[in-house]
Amino acid sequence: MRYKFPSSRGSSPGAALGTGMQTFVQHLIDGIALGSIYALIALGYTLVYGILRLINFAHGDIFMVGAFIGLFAAQALHAGADPTPLKFGLVMLAAMGGCALLGFLVERLAYRPLQQAPRINLLITAVGVSLLLENLGQVVFGPNPKFFPDLLPHTVLFSFGGAAVSNHQAVVLGTSLVLMVGLEWLVLKTRLGLAMRALSHSHETASLMGIPTGLVIAFTFCVGSALAAAAGILVGVSYPRVDPLMGILPGIKAFVAAVLGGIGNIRGAVVGGLILGLSEEMVSGYFSSTYRDALAFGILIAILLLKPEGLFGRNEVEKV
Amino acid sequence: MSTDILEIRNLSASYGAVQALHGVGLRVPQGAVVSLIGANGAGKTTALKVVSGLKRPDSGEVLFKGLRVDARPAHELVRMGLVHCPEGRGVFPNLTVMENLRLGAYTRRDKAQAAMDLDWVWSLFPRLFERRRQGAGTLSGGEQQMLAMGRSLMARPALLLMDEPSLGLAPQVVDSIFEAVLKINRQGCSILLVEQNAQRALEISSLAWVLETGRVLLHGPAAEISRNPRVREAYLGEGA
C-alpha cells in the first residue's frame, strides 16, 4: 500500500473559480508549498550523503515519526481544540527534538558499528532501518491513518484574482525558509559547519585537524532528522492524515529531488525539491493526478541518463 | 630522564593479513629534525599513521612527551601538540585557503595567539596570502603543499610529522619547502620527516632511521647514514 498526500485542507478557490492565469498562479502557489516540504526532506538526504556517502533510506520514515510525535504533542497540548501559534511552535519543537534524538540513535546503533565495513553493508542496513521503523510504526501507532489535529485553523490570508494563499501555505513557506536559511548559516558560517564541510571531503584528514569526526557525523544526522520532522509537521498542517507508511513515497520523492539538484549539494536539494513540487502540481492540475508519481520517477530516470551528477553536482570520480 | 619528544618502541602494524611494520623503534629528541627514509612500501607512511592515531598498532608503544598515546584517537593528539601533515595534496580542495587554515586552528581557543600564528604563516608563505580567498583545489602542487604545512602550523605543533613534503614538486619548489621546514624547526618545533628524497632529508636532519620492508635497517646520526654505502646505493642514486 502506498501513501499519497490526500487533498489538502480547505478549499482551493483558484481551482474552482478561475481559468487561465488564476489557475496557473494557484498551481504555482500550491506547487511551491509542496516543493518546500520536499526540499526540507531532501536536505536530510543530501547532508548525510555529503558526509557519509550513504543514501539514508530510513530518512522518509524519520519524517513519518516526526509527524506522529507532532500528533501526540498536539493531543497532549489539546492543540486541536484550542489552537494557538505557541502550541504550533511547541509541537514543532517536540517533533524536531524527538527526531534529532531518533537520528542520533539510528546513527549510533545501526550505522556507526559499520564504519569500517564496505559501503554496500551500510546501504542494506539503511533499508533494514527503514523497514524496522515502518513496521514498528504499525505496531506502536496502529496501521490505520490518524487524523492530524488542525493546529492552525484554515484561513485565506490574501487572494488576488482567483488565486489564494492560505495561512497553511504561508506557514509552510515561512518555516521552510527559516530552516533553510538557518542551515545555510550553520554550514557556511559556523565552526561546526566548517568541520562538516571538511568531513565531506575526507574523514581522515578532518581528524588530523583535531575534529572529533564521530560527533560531527552524529550531529549531521540530528540536523537532517530534525528537518524531516519539521516537514512531517508541515504535512500534518496541510493534509489531515498521518499513518506509519506515509514516509515511503515522500521519502522516495525527496530523494529524487536531492538527486535532481545534485546529491550532497545543499542548494541543489532546495531547488530540486521546488522543481519536483511545482512539476507535480502542474501535472496533476493540467493533466491528471494519475501521472503525478510517474513524473517523479520519470525525472529520476531522465537525470540518471542525461546528467547523473544533478543540476548543481560536481562530477566526482570515486576515489579508491 | 628522557629528552625525547617522541619515542616509538617495538611497533608492529598490519593491513588485514599483510604486516606493514615489524617491531619498529625510533625516537625524536626534543627540538630535532629526524628523517625516516626508505623505499616505497617500506612502511614509512604506516609508521606516521600509527603515531598520529590514524591507525591502531597490533603491538608496541608510542610515547609522546613521555605519555602513552597509542590508544588515543587522532583528534585528541592534535590537541596535545602532535600534528600530522598528510602526504601530497592533503588539503581540502572544496574549501578556500583561508578556510583550510582555520581548520588547522580548529582545536584552539586562544584567538589572539592564533592570529599571530596566521601572520607567521603568511610571512612564511606569502603566496598563500595572495590566494587566501581562492579554492584550495585551484592551487598548484607546490602551493597546496605550502597550504598543508601552514595549516599544520595553525595547530601550534610541538611535534610535526611530515609525510613526503617534496613529492612530485619541481626542484626550486622543493628548495623553498625544505627552507620552510628549517624555519619551522628554528621556532622550536620538533620534526619527524618522511621522505623519498633521502639526500635532501638527510641534509637537514640530525638523526635518521632507514626502513626496509617494515623493519629498521639502520639508524644513527644523519651524516653517518648518508655516508653509509648501502644507503648511498639504495636511496641516494649511486649505482653499484
Side-chain angles (χ1 to χ4, degrees):
Chain A
M1 192 191 89
R2 273 192 168 152
Y3 179 87
K4 288 175 184 162
F5 288 143
S7 58
S8 71
R9 291 180 203 273
S11 61
S12 208
L17 289 177
T19 49
M21 199 60 197
Q22 294 148 3
T23 318
F24 177 76
V25 172
Q26 189 64 51
H27 287 315
L28 206 61
I29 296 166
D30 295 347
I32 291 174
L34 179 64
S36 49
I37 291 175
Y38 285 144
L40 281 182
I41 310 174
L43 283 169
Y45 279 108
T46 237
L47 281 173
V48 166
Y49 183 85
I51 287 196
L52 283 189
R53 299 291 183 272
L54 162 73
I55 308 292
N56 182 16
F57 280 112
H59 191 61
D61 304 296
I62 289 177
F63 154 85
M64 172 276 291
V65 174
F68 270 95
I69 295 175
L71 169 69
F72 297 135
Q75 284 171 349
L77 292 165
H78 305 291
D82 172 29
T84 65
L86 174 68
K87 284 180 182 174
F88 169 76
L90 289 174
V91 166
M92 189 61 110
L93 282 181
M96 290 178 75
C99 278
L101 182 64
L102 177 65
F104 178 84
L105 291 175
V106 165
E107 194 273 327
R108 197 41 72 92
L109 300 176
Y111 301 145
R112 178 79 50 103
L114 296 172
Q115 221 169 19
Q116 309 298 330
R119 204 157 290 160
I120 188 77
N121 298 21
L122 212 58
L123 204 66
I124 293 166
T125 306
V127 175
V129 173
S130 168
L131 291 172
L132 177 75
L133 289 176
E134 282 159 21
N135 289 288
L136 206 63
Q138 297 192 62
V139 172
V140 177
F141 307 138
N144 296 323
K146 299 214 164 18
F147 179 74
F148 195 90
D150 203 354
L151 296 177
L152 303 159
H154 186 271
T155 54
V156 173
L157 276 191
F158 54 91
S159 53
F160 44 98
V165 178
S166 73
N167 62 333
H168 291 164
Q169 289 170 325
V171 164
V172 168
L173 285 177
T175 310
S176 310
L177 199 66
V178 167
L179 290 173
M180 287 169 196
V181 171
L183 182 69
E184 182 93 356
W185 172 80
L186 171 77
V187 171
L188 292 182
K189 299 287 176 200
T190 67
R191 185 167 170 263
L192 201 52
L194 187 59
M196 289 166 75
R197 286 184 286 150
L199 255 75
S200 80
H201 175 66
S202 160
H203 290 207
E204 192 171 87
T205 314
S207 71
L208 292 181
M209 303 296 108
I211 296 169
T213 50
L215 275 180
V216 177
I217 294 169
F219 176 78
T220 305
F221 269 85
C222 292
V223 171
S225 304
L227 292 176
I233 302 300
L234 295 179
V235 165
V237 165
S238 313
Y239 310 91
R241 301 180 347 159
V242 294
D243 77 85
L245 299 182
M246 69 182 278
I248 299 176
L249 202 51
I252 294 174
K253 287 183 179 173
F255 167 65
V256 172
V259 173
L260 171 61
I263 192 148
N265 184 300
I266 289 177
R267 285 179 192 182
V270 173
V271 173
L274 288 174
I275 291 178
L276 190 64
L278 276 169
S279 35
E280 280 198 353
E281 187 59 36
M282 295 297 168
V283 165
S284 39
Y286 287 105
F287 298 96
S288 158
S289 52
T290 320
Y291 297 120
R292 197 167 78 163
D293 299 341
L295 175 82
F297 300 107
I299 290 178
L300 180 62
I301 292 167
I303 313 161
L304 293 179
L305 286 175
L306 303 173
K307 201 167 178 353
E309 73 275 15
L311 295 176
F312 297 87
R314 272 171 315 216
N315 203 350
E316 272 185 10
V317 179
E318 248 342 87
K319 272 176 290 185
V320 185
Chain B
M1 148 95 210
S2 135
T3 55
D4 294 337
I5 189 163
L6 180 75
E7 190 179 354
I8 299 173
R9 293 179 188 153
N10 202 22
L11 203 64
S12 296
S14 47
Y15 297 95
V18 183
Q19 194 166 351
L21 296 178
H22 304 262
V24 168
L26 181 158
R27 59 188 190 84
V28 179
Q30 178 76 48
V33 178
V34 172
S35 54
L36 180 59
I37 58 178
N40 271 338
K44 306 183 302 281
T45 295
T46 305
L48 283 197
K49 285 188 168 186
V50 171
V51 171
S52 64
L54 287 180
K55 179 160 180 52
R56 293 271 158 270
D58 299 337
S59 61
E61 295 179 3
V62 178
L63 289 106
F64 175 62
K65 295 178 179 170
L67 296 169
R68 274 291 290 271
V69 295
D70 42 83
R72 295 192 194 225
H75 68 263
E76 280 182 21
L77 295 174
V78 176
R79 236 170 257 276
M80 295 172 70
L82 195 164
V83 177
H84 180 167
C85 182
E87 188 179 343
R89 320 289 175 253
V91 298
F92 297 104
N94 52 328
L95 304 179
T96 65
V97 168
M98 194 61 217
E99 285 171 332
N100 269 275
L101 293 173
R102 272 171 58 208
L103 276 169
Y106 189 81
T107 55
R108 295 177 63 176
R109 306 240 171 260
D110 50 336
K111 291 241 156 48
Q113 189 64 48
M116 283 169 63
D117 287 345
L118 183 61
D119 285 340
W120 187 50
V121 170
W122 295 145
S123 70
L124 207 52
F125 306 113
R127 261 200 297 188
L128 293 183
F129 181 73
E130 289 163 28
R131 312 206 161 192
R132 63 193 179 282
R133 291 195 183 85
Q134 237 169 282
T138 68
L139 301 181
S140 71
E143 289 162 348
Q144 290 193 19
Q145 183 56 48
M146 291 171 193
L147 178 56
M149 288 168 73
R151 190 182 60 183
S152 299
L153 294 178
M154 290 305 293
R156 280 236 134 199
L159 172 66
L160 182 58
L161 312 177
M162 303 196 69
D163 197 358
E164 307 266 19
S166 76
L167 190 68
L169 301 182
Q172 315 91 286
V173 185
V174 173
D175 288 344
S176 61
I177 294 289
F178 275 94
E179 212 171 284
V181 172
L182 279 176
K183 282 184 188 164
I184 292 165
N185 179 243
R186 274 189 224 113
Q187 296 287 315
C189 177
S190 312
I191 290 171
L192 177 57
L193 179 63
V194 159
E195 259 299 341
Q196 33 92 42
N197 192 338
Q199 183 156 13
R200 298 300 299 271
L202 291 171
E203 278 168 20
I204 63 167
S205 304
S206 53
L207 298 177
W209 265 256
V210 182
L211 278 190
E212 198 171 87
T213 56
R215 290 184 175 82
V216 175
L217 183 71
L218 286 169
H219 68 91
E224 237 169 70
I225 297 288
S226 59
R227 282 196 302 270
N228 184 293
R230 282 178 76 179
V231 173
R232 296 188 77 86
E233 187 188 326
Y235 307 112
L236 301 181
E238 290 185 8

